Amino acid sequence: MKIPPVKGTRDFYPEDMAVRNFLEQGWRQVSLRNGFEEYDGPIFEHLEMFTAKSGEEIVEQLFSLTDRGGRRLAIRPEITPTLARMVNQRINALPRPIKWFSIPRLCRAEKPQKGRLREFFQWNIDIIGESDVLADAEAIFTAVDYLQEVGLGPADVSIRISSRKMLAAVLVALGIDADQLEGLYTVLDKRAKVDDQAFEKMLAEKLPDTKKRQKVIDLMQVKDIGQISDVAELSSEASEAVAELKRLFVLLEAMGIADFCTFDIGIVRGLAYYTGIVFEIHDAGSRLRAIGGGGRYDNLLKLFGGPEVPATGFGIGDCVLAILLEEKGLLGRNVPAQTIDYYLACADQKYQREVLSVAARIRRVGFSAEFTYKTGSLGKQLKQASSKNARQAIIIGQEIEAGELAVKDMATGEQSNVAMETFFAELDRSRK
Ligand code: HAM
């Protein structure tokens, strides 16, 4: 019986695992140097965690199940609700701001396509307990810090930024009812993903009034923060949101990443819980799906039964990122091939016991060592040593009877005999 892998999932063979580890190690390193602590949660949660406030799109993509006790559960499609739940549980004990990161495995029943799968990994950075836009700036900085770390510059990627608070205030000023906003966001979020006709059709379903619809279309053409006041008279809320956006750009400038960041009124975000600054990370030509996205969600903790605590953050998935890095030639160069410190070659089957004992000693000191299972010709064994990227080969032959090892440097080909005790004393000194 041959069973294929499930649609939209991946098998990680060692070479794929090397890429995944490279991405995850970079995420972890950059998170730590920006002052974030790691957390994780369960792979499944109560279904209503995700139906409550994640939005239509996520609900359609849920993998849900009923456990034996009849509880409705779902595999996590994102970790933000779990984070909100976990922080709520300890809200009084946690010093603020809470700066946490996570690299969860997530599942969404999306239509598998380039950069979108049904199971993926997502780097999450979140700052909880700070309402100042400085926290949004730091989250964005952390994303850019990572992108630069792996070799992507402003010509390769851009952070497109807008504000749900500004959009809400301006839409209300244009005569749109507050209770229509959420439905409208879902349509506006799709603006860049569909053609004009499809967009206008979707918009007409939400906004039958032609005049209002035209105003929204005009608003979505705005290219500069300064032009918003040309389209609508700014209420005090709208002015406040515009001022906040402007301040964000001043902070990003001070952090030295302004050339990565642009204002884009088309960034609305698909998830329902965003309340303020929102942003997405795209490849410069926008040929691919979004690399990442996030924003401020000041009501989510309260919604999950906690106090009102402001929060902001983002998620970057592994799929589009890997495609882009591969395209730019930044994967091959960066993903290190696995190496081993010592490969033990056995010149004669009768020395197998010594091979095993030397290999065991090397491993106990903390270095990596491998040996052959089948003693073939020395040439074959050395070939294997080189294919395993061994730094040194140790040939165990008759020298061992005099207490010596023949040590060959695989890079230079130089070989010399070393007394076993000297060899181990040296290893001990350079113990890892
Ligand atoms: P999101 O926009 O749904 O946000 O996802 C963020 C990123 O996760 C996407 O830009 C993409 O890189 C990756 N991603 C999403 N779905 C898939 C998929 N089916 N296959 C591969 N990659 C995917 C969130 O998830 C928010 N919870 C992020 C956040 C954290 N906001 C605040 N804190």
Side-chain angles (χ1 to χ4, degrees):
M1 187 169 55
K2 232 181 176 177
I3 302 173
V6 175
K7 188 168 126 184
T9 65
R10 287 168 291 177
D11 295 326
F12 289 89
Y13 288 91
E15 62 274 21
D16 310 309
M17 205 58 216
V19 172
R20 190 171 122 198
N21 282 336
F22 163 71
L23 298 179
E24 293 191 3
Q25 277 158 14
W27 289 339
R28 209 163 257 124
Q29 178 198 349
V30 170
S31 301
L32 295 172
R33 79 178 177 211
N34 283 272
F36 291 81
E37 291 178 282
E38 189 162 6
Y39 73 97
D40 199 356
I43 191 87
F44 46 77
E45 291 273 8
H46 290 287
L47 181 71
E48 56 278 26
M49 282 268 293
F50 306 112
T51 51
K53 200 67 190 168
S54 291
E56 232 170 77
E57 208 170 277
I58 285 262
V59 173
E60 281 166 15
Q61 297 169 352
L62 280 178
F63 279 106
S64 55
L65 59 136
T66 306
D67 75 2
R68 291 193 199 187
R71 282 171 284 263
R72 298 284 291 142
L73 308 176
I75 301 177
R76 60 187 180 188
E78 56 162 342
I79 202 170
T80 316
T82 302
L83 171 68
R85 180 176 63 67
M86 286 171 63
V87 170
N88 271 345
Q89 279 164 197
R90 296 203 175 167
I91 193 69
N92 295 322
L94 295 168
R96 299 186 199 175
I98 299 156
K99 291 174 63 181
W100 283 4
F101 81 96
S102 192
I103 307 176
R105 182 193 283 260
L106 305 177
C107 290
R108 294 186 191 179
E110 250 193 87
K111 188 167 155 250
Q113 54 192 290
K114 194 175 177 187
R116 289 290 180 267
L117 295 173
R118 294 198 158 173
E119 187 192 43
F120 59 100
F121 294 85
Q122 192 196 57
W123 177 37
N124 279 257
I125 279 287
D126 287 275
I127 304 172
I128 299 179
E130 181 53 65
S131 59
D132 195 281
V133 76
L134 181 55
D136 305 82
E138 188 171 33
I140 294 173
F141 176 83
T142 307
V144 174
D145 191 22
Y146 172 76
L147 297 170
Q148 286 188 297
E149 181 66 31
V150 288
L152 296 167
D156 307 310
V157 284
S158 69
I159 318 290
R160 312 219 183 125
I161 304 169
S162 187
S163 159
R164 273 261 180 110
K165 206 200 282 179
M166 176 277 292
L167 191 62
V170 175
L171 289 173
V172 168
L174 292 178
I176 289 160
D177 295 341
D179 59 2
Q180 280 184 297
L181 291 178
E182 206 170 290
L184 203 52
Y185 292 152
T186 331
V187 175
L188 297 182
D189 177 60
K190 296 213 167 70
R191 178 68 194 97
K193 295 171 199 150
V194 296
D195 60 34
D196 290 355
Q197 235 183 347
F199 174 67
E200 284 178 31
K201 187 164 170 266
M202 286 194 306
L203 196 59
E205 279 166 24
K206 300 279 177 193
L207 269 187
D209 183 314
T210 335
K211 265 196 190 150
K212 284 187 189 169
R213 203 158 67 233
Q214 192 52 48
K215 283 184 190 168
V216 172
I217 293 172
D218 292 345
L219 176 66
M220 297 315 276
Q221 306 294 335
V222 163
K223 295 276 174 282
D224 194 276
I225 305 176
Q227 288 172 353
I228 298 168
S229 52
D230 301 345
V231 183
E233 201 170 316
L234 298 187
S235 60
S236 65
E237 269 157 10
S239 304
E240 203 181 285
V242 166
E244 191 179 72
L245 260 173
K246 288 186 178 161
R247 179 149 174 269
L248 175 65
F249 279 92
V250 171
L251 297 171
L252 297 172
E253 165 86 51
M255 289 170 156
I257 56 163
D259 48 355
F260 280 90
C261 304
T262 50
F263 168 70
D264 182 343
I265 198 156
I267 300 301
V268 179
R269 306 282 296 132
L271 295 161
Y273 50 64
Y274 292 110
T275 55
I277 297 293
V278 278
F279 61 94
E280 278 181 9
I281 308 166
H282 286 264
D283 62 291
S286 265
R287 287 170 305 105
L288 306 169
R289 298 289 302 267
I291 299 167
R296 184 163 276 285
Y297 49 100
D298 287 348
N299 299 333
L300 196 61
L301 276 80
K302 190 166 179 210
L303 191 96
F304 287 147
E308 203 169 312
V309 181
T312 185
F314 69 81
I316 290 183
D318 63 330
C319 303
V320 178
L321 180 65
I323 293 170
L324 189 65
L325 292 174
E326 178 74 56
E327 279 182 13
K328 303 268 171 200
L330 295 167
L331 266 192
R333 198 181 70 193
N334 283 333
V335 179
Q338 192 160 330
T339 58
I340 51 164
D341 299 318
Y342 297 98
Y343 185 92
L344 285 107
C346 188
D348 190 312
Q349 184 67 25
K350 69 179 179 191
Y351 298 122
Q352 196 183 36
R353 192 189 154 78
E354 284 75 10
V355 166
L356 298 184
S357 123
V358 171
R361 272 185 80 178
I362 294 176
R363 288 170 175 174
R364 288 297 310 132
V365 192
F367 291 84
S368 54
E370 273 214 61
F371 53 83
T372 175
Y373 281 6
K374 287 194 181 69
T375 316
S377 78
L378 254 187
K380 245 192 186 164
Q381 292 184 57
L382 289 175
K383 241 190 184 158
Q384 198 175 13
S386 132
S387 75
K388 296 237 170 197
N389 299 314
R391 284 189 243 277
Q392 313 225 280
I394 297 179
I395 302 154
I396 310 248
Q398 61 189 22
E399 310 79 356
I400 198 85
E401 288 170 23
E404 288 189 342
L405 303 169
V407 181
K408 183 183 172 83
D409 186 293
M410 294 300 288
T412 63
E414 264 169 48
Q415 186 175 327
S416 57
N417 286 3
V418 184
M420 195 141 86
E421 288 326 306
T422 315
F423 175 82
F424 277 109
E426 186 57 41
L427 271 199
D428 233 354
R429 260 199 299 280
S430 49
R431 201 187 179 106
K432 285 183 178 169

